[in-house]
Amino acid sequence: MLSVEEALQKILNEVDPLEEASVPILDSPGQVLAEDIKSDINVPPLDNSAMDGYAVISRDTRGASAESPKFLRVIDTVMAGSISQHEVVPGTAVRIMTGAPVPEGADSVVQFENTDEEKRKESAADRPITRVGILSETSPGLNIRKAGEDIARGTIALRQGTVIRPAEVGLLASLGYSQVKAIRRPVVAVLSTGNELVDVGKPLPEGKIYDSNTYSIAGLVRRYGAIPKILGIAQDSEEELISKLKQAQDADMLVTTGGVSAGDYDMVKDILARDGEMVFWKVRVKPGKPLAFGKIKGSSRDGTTRNIPHLGLPGNAVSCMVSFELFVRPALLKMMGKKNFTKPTVEAIMEDSVKNSAGRRIYDRAIVERRDGRYYARLTGPQGSGVLTSMSRANGLVLIPEDRKEVNKGEVVQAIMLDWNEEVNS
Ligand code: AMP
Ligand code: MG
């Protein structure tokens, strides 16, 4: 049976980054930039004021203090978005608001707080303000943002391969881009299998259970930046499975749950082996041993055939989610052009003991907390592979090595962080 690392490697070997497509910038966070972004403009375009104040010639303020202000004639007011038509000459100043281009002649901005602006505003006689007292010396360049200081025209603002986050979206907007070329998001067909399953929103007949995997898996697909295509529920019959699988033909990946164990009706893996290509079945991991991975035939938009990776996850509600985190997530990230597939991992002190009789790598669900500068992990109650609340309460998975029969309370383990604190439920 394959180890987790061997299985993951086989999966990664079979998937490649997808092609690029143009997307509206607001839809691009989480995607990987597929082009260098070279700036055609300076950002900011002109020297502009970093403060509300007075644009002056710094020499004019020499010796200014609260006791002996230097008085200047106010010749104009300029707002952000406008350009003053007046040149600042010795003995004059232009009132200027933050972001407004610095008028010709001025080399510095004195903020309102260092002038007698407030006092003048209070006295009606001084409206409009025609004179201002400067209360402190300023120096050339002070409170002026230089043209191009953020991004200079002709330079590369963002490199191909950059993961787009809100800061990059803002940066693209500051350069005037409404669309950007990025590696497109994979479409992942999601199929649940089992005669016992009923879709949400319908009454639950005796002997049936609601299909939760479709929703937890589609949620994970979305969380990691791909697009779920929900195929619904297939009964455990060959015809129905095959006809549902046909609907996955235009997807970039197929994720099924259930039907990969050794039971009488577990025919997903058999159909995969017969009609597709089975790369492996079973991994030395708990939960999630009966994972099946292979390829099914699909069609491209141009009508040619291609292989679609198929991850056949076990049906148990926890098993399929843990298998997704371990195997599907890295594959999706690779398809999205990302380079780093690992979730953040911390070393945590176990607050529970775990027995490992199966000789498989265990990923138990845990609440990982930082206290006094160290991480501690406690299990989220019963760890049955169908106990979905154990997953809901968890913010991490603790890794119990395959070669350990037992890990005792107080020992240090690796904890994979599924979520950080802001998202934890307990
Ligand atoms: P299987 O892998 O098909 O043998 O299913 C293993 C267990 O997971 C069984 O108890 C199933 O009822 C349960 N199960 C399978 N699919 C789903 C699903 N979509 N939602 C919730 N439970 C499921
Ligand atoms: Mg089943």
Side-chain angles (χ1 to χ4, degrees):
M1 223 185 294
L2 296 177
S3 69
V4 170
E5 286 72 25
E6 289 164 342
L8 178 59
Q9 198 51 56
K10 282 188 189 290
I11 295 169
L12 291 177
N13 286 347
E14 298 291 341
V15 298
D16 290 309
L18 299 178
E19 68 279 14
E20 64 189 52
S22 185
V23 280
I25 56 169
L26 195 50
D27 295 337
S28 70
Q31 287 182 262
V32 170
L33 197 59
E35 57 180 338
D36 283 345
I37 301 294
K38 197 168 165 190
S39 177
D40 295 333
I41 56 172
N42 276 322
V43 181
L46 299 170
D47 290 3
N48 68 91
S49 179
M51 290 284 176
D52 295 328
Y54 285 87
V56 300
I57 298 169
S58 51
R59 236 178 307 111
D60 280 353
T61 68
R62 235 179 252 161
S65 68
E67 294 72 41
S68 83
K70 295 280 172 184
F71 291 99
L72 299 173
R73 192 158 59 83
V74 179
I75 54 172
D76 195 13
T77 292
V78 60
M79 321 276 283
S82 304
I83 290 184
S84 175
Q85 300 304 323
H86 294 76
E87 182 179 346
V88 176
V89 295
T92 66
V94 166
R95 275 182 94 235
I96 189 165
M97 305 304 138
T98 304
V102 176
E104 197 110 346
D107 68 353
S108 180
V109 171
V110 181
Q111 66 202 77
F112 282 156
E113 292 83 337
N114 293 339
T115 70
D116 59 5
E117 161 93 7
E118 269 310 308
K119 235 171 43 207
R120 284 175 191 275
K121 263 195 185 155
E122 283 159 15
S123 97
D126 269 329
R127 294 243 183 92
I129 295 174
T130 52
R131 234 163 80 94
V132 66
I134 306 291
L135 309 180
S136 70
E137 280 190 15
T138 181
S139 52
L142 199 71
N143 296 328
I144 292 178
R145 304 187 262 205
K146 298 301 277 179
E149 75 171 23
D150 190 355
I151 307 161
R153 180 187 297 138
T155 58
I156 304 231
L158 290 171
R159 294 252 169 224
Q160 176 180 355
T162 301
V163 178
I164 302 169
R165 302 166 305 164
E168 283 71 33
V169 173
L171 217 149
L172 288 162
S174 76
L175 293 173
Y177 281 74
S178 61
Q179 304 257 328
V180 70
K181 279 196 194 123
I183 308 284
R184 72 176 176 82
R185 299 178 187 278
V187 173
V188 180
V190 178
L191 176 66
S192 286
T193 70
N195 290 345
E196 72 277 34
L197 303 178
V198 173
D199 196 11
V200 296
K202 299 203 171 114
L204 191 66
E206 201 170 47
K208 308 281 180 185
I209 60 170
Y210 283 119
D211 166 21
S212 62
N213 293 353
T214 288
Y215 297 94
S216 56
I217 295 301
L220 285 166
V221 167
R222 265 206 194 147
R223 174 172 189 182
Y224 293 122
I227 301 165
K229 175 180 175 172
I230 292 176
L231 303 185
I233 299 165
Q235 301 292 305
D236 292 313
S237 85
E238 218 179 291
E239 303 78 68
E240 192 165 338
L241 269 172
I242 289 170
S243 100
K244 283 279 187 188
L245 292 183
K246 283 217 173 79
Q247 294 175 29
Q249 277 197 343
D250 57 355
D252 301 300
M253 180 189 276
L254 166 66
V255 175
T256 59
T257 64
V260 286
S261 309
D264 289 353
Y265 296 97
D266 290 325
M267 45 190 115
V268 170
K269 61 179 189 312
D270 305 328
I271 291 172
L272 175 63
R274 193 192 65 202
D275 298 347
E277 184 190 324
M278 175 94 92
V279 177
F280 66 76
W281 179 47
K282 289 190 180 172
V283 183
R284 226 157 50 231
V285 62
K286 185 182 168 193
K289 179 171 89 170
L291 178 79
F293 172 64
K295 290 175 278 183
I296 61 164
K297 286 262 173 297
S299 54
S300 303
R301 281 173 198 153
D302 61 8
T304 53
T305 58
R306 70 197 165 110
N307 286 320
I308 301 170
H310 171 190
L311 282 116
L313 309 184
N316 279 307
V318 174
S319 313
C320 67
M321 288 194 78
V322 172
S323 307
F324 189 107
E325 294 281 2
L326 296 178
F327 301 107
V328 184
R329 175 180 177 277
L332 287 179
L333 296 187
K334 184 173 179 192
M335 292 169 95
M336 292 180 72
K338 301 200 180 178
K339 299 279 188 286
N340 179 14
F341 313 141
T342 50
K343 294 265 315 181
T345 299
V346 299
E347 296 204 323
I349 300 165
M350 284 294 284
E351 296 187 293
D352 290 298
S353 298
V354 176
K355 287 206 162 34
N356 185 6
S357 52
R360 288 183 267 153
R361 169 102 45 92
I362 297 180
Y363 290 90
D364 270 346
R365 278 71 68 206
I367 296 159
V368 182
E369 265 173 0
R370 194 177 160 93
R371 295 197 296 270
D372 306 327
R374 307 214 52 177
Y375 288 97
Y376 293 85
R378 61 179 192 279
L379 302 186
T380 53
Q383 296 288 302
S385 57
V387 182
L388 199 47
T389 47
S390 77
M391 195 74 192
S392 170
R393 288 193 198 108
N395 66 338
L397 298 172
V398 288
L399 191 158
I400 310 297
E402 42 272 65
D403 57 2
R404 295 289 306 276
K405 292 246 174 307
E406 187 167 26
V407 166
N408 291 309
K409 190 174 164 172
E411 285 192 58
V412 173
V413 293
Q414 297 290 311
I416 299 171
M417 299 306 293
L418 298 174
D419 308 281
W420 291 98
N421 284 346
E422 60 180 323
E423 293 166 76
V424 183
N425 289 325
S426 49

